[in-house]
């Protein structure tokens, strides 16, 4: 940690203090082939955990039970160093998404959004949301909202390619006013966004209407990031989807393969 007094003390001693974080973040944005392979592996681990959850989760369980099950699964895998969080948000907890887990009992018909948040394999981190419906089929309205979120996600992925910019990606998303009636973009800061993945869960580049439209960053081969979108009805239910990807010379390689085209239905009788 550094503060202004420390910098002044260095200057008084004739030591010129330089910013080291900016070049470090820029260097970390482009991965070598070994790092990209690590990102593929951590994505496969997250796919496996989502698959295990899909076979485990049932109505009557509490959110924290799902988190505990996922933690046990993940920490049994060699190379897993840390799991920052397994977000399990069900029913009204899923919109707004409070990004946590609780003792709420999951009921038949609940939508549940689950994130593999910063699952860390040999230093490299993940972020992968999927949406589940527990014990029943989702309603047509829920399917419609999900389709909107899914199209927002894949419309953005269509824009990802070397030479494009983060503004090109964020520019396909509706404004917070258009999507939810918010007066300011900041009120929907993480509803439609993307972030670099690697040695940090939130690395460069950042993809957001708040920042990227005015400060575009060129997308380059070797980058690794996630894009995520969400939608829902306040204090009733929400959906969220996310894909991890690495950028090759010919475009994005989606590394997360757990089904995403529809809400995943689990625990039906």
């Amino acid at each position: 940690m550094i503060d202004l007094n420390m910098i002044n003390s260095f200057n008084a001693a004739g030591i010129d203090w330089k910013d080291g974080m900016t070049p470090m973040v820029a260097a970390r944005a482009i991965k070598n082939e070994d790092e990209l392979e690590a990102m593929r592996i951590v994505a496969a681990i997250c796919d496996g955990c989502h698959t295990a959850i899909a076979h485990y989760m049932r109505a009557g369980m509490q959110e924290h039970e799902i988190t505990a099950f996922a933690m046990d699964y993940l920490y049994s895998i060699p190379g897993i160093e840390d799991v920052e969080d397994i977000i399990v948000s069900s029913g009204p907890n899923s919109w707004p998404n409070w990004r946590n887990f609780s003792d709420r009992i999951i009921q038949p018909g609940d939508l549940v959004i689950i994130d593999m948040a910063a699952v860390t394999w040999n230093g490299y981190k993940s972020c992968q949301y999927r949406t589940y419906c527990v014990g029943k089929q989702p309603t047509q309205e829920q399917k419609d909202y999900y389709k909107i979120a899914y199209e927002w996600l894949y419309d953005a992925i269509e824009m990802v390619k070397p030479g494009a910019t983060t503004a090109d990606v964020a520019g396909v998303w509706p404004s917070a006013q258009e999507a939810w009636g918010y007066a300011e973009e900041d009120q929907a800061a993480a509803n439609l966004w993307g972030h670099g993945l690697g040695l940090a869960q939130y690395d460069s580049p950042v993809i957001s209407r708040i920042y990227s439209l005015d400060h575009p960053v060129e997308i380059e081969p070797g980058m690794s990031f996630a894009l995520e979108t969400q939608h829902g009805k306040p204090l009733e239910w929400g959906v969220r989807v996310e894909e991890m990807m690495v950028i090759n010379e010919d475009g994005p390689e989606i590394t997360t393969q757990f089904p995403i085209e529809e809400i995943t239905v689990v625990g039906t009788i």
Side-chain angles (χ1 to χ4, degrees), residues 56-246:
Y56 172 76
M57 184 164 52
R58 296 291 185 271
M61 293 179 174
Q62 295 172 294
E63 291 175 352
H64 66 78
E65 292 182 77
I66 312 305
T67 295
F69 173 83
M71 291 283 189
D72 182 68
Y73 174 93
L74 291 165
Y75 278 114
S76 71
I77 296 173
I80 290 293
E81 301 169 351
D82 179 55
V83 181
E84 183 174 308
D85 199 6
I86 301 297
I87 295 170
V88 180
S89 298
S90 66
N93 290 346
S94 59
W95 189 270
N97 174 17
W98 74 325
R99 296 176 177 80
N100 211 320
F101 56 87
S102 73
D103 59 358
R104 184 182 183 276
I105 298 172
I106 298 169
Q107 297 178 281
D110 274 348
L111 295 186
V112 184
I113 58 176
I114 298 178
D115 184 25
M116 303 287 116
V119 175
T120 308
W121 183 82
N122 286 323
Y124 290 83
K125 299 180 184 293
S126 71
C127 196
Q128 181 198 24
Y129 268 100
R130 288 296 187 265
T131 300
Y132 298 83
C133 188
V134 181
K136 290 182 179 180
Q137 295 293 324
T139 66
Q140 187 58 53
E141 184 180 32
Q142 290 167 341
K143 292 178 182 179
D144 292 342
Y145 273 63
Y146 187 88
K147 184 174 184 291
I148 292 169
Y150 176 84
E151 289 177 348
W152 283 339
L153 174 61
Y154 269 83
D155 286 348
I157 292 172
E158 284 291 319
M159 302 303 296
V160 175
K161 58 185 176 182
T165 71
T166 53
D168 296 324
V169 179
V172 306
W173 288 329
S175 69
Q177 174 71 40
E178 292 168 328
W180 302 288
Y182 295 140
E184 302 291 339
E185 287 289 340
D186 287 358
Q187 292 176 269
N191 287 8
L192 304 169
W193 82 307
H195 55 90
L197 288 170
L199 294 174
Q201 187 188 13
Y202 300 122
D203 223 332
S204 181
V206 171
I207 302 171
S208 166
R209 287 181 56 87
I210 297 170
Y211 178 79
S212 301
L213 299 184
D214 294 325
H215 305 282
V217 173
E218 183 177 345
I219 296 169
E220 301 180 59
M223 284 184 168
S224 171
F225 53 82
L227 292 172
E228 51 190 302
T229 60
Q230 68 176 24
H231 202 10
K233 297 186 71 174
L235 302 179
E236 293 187 39
W237 45 262
V239 300
R240 193 173 182 101
V241 287
E242 181 175 22
E243 296 281 44
M244 294 168 54
M245 64 200 72
V246 300

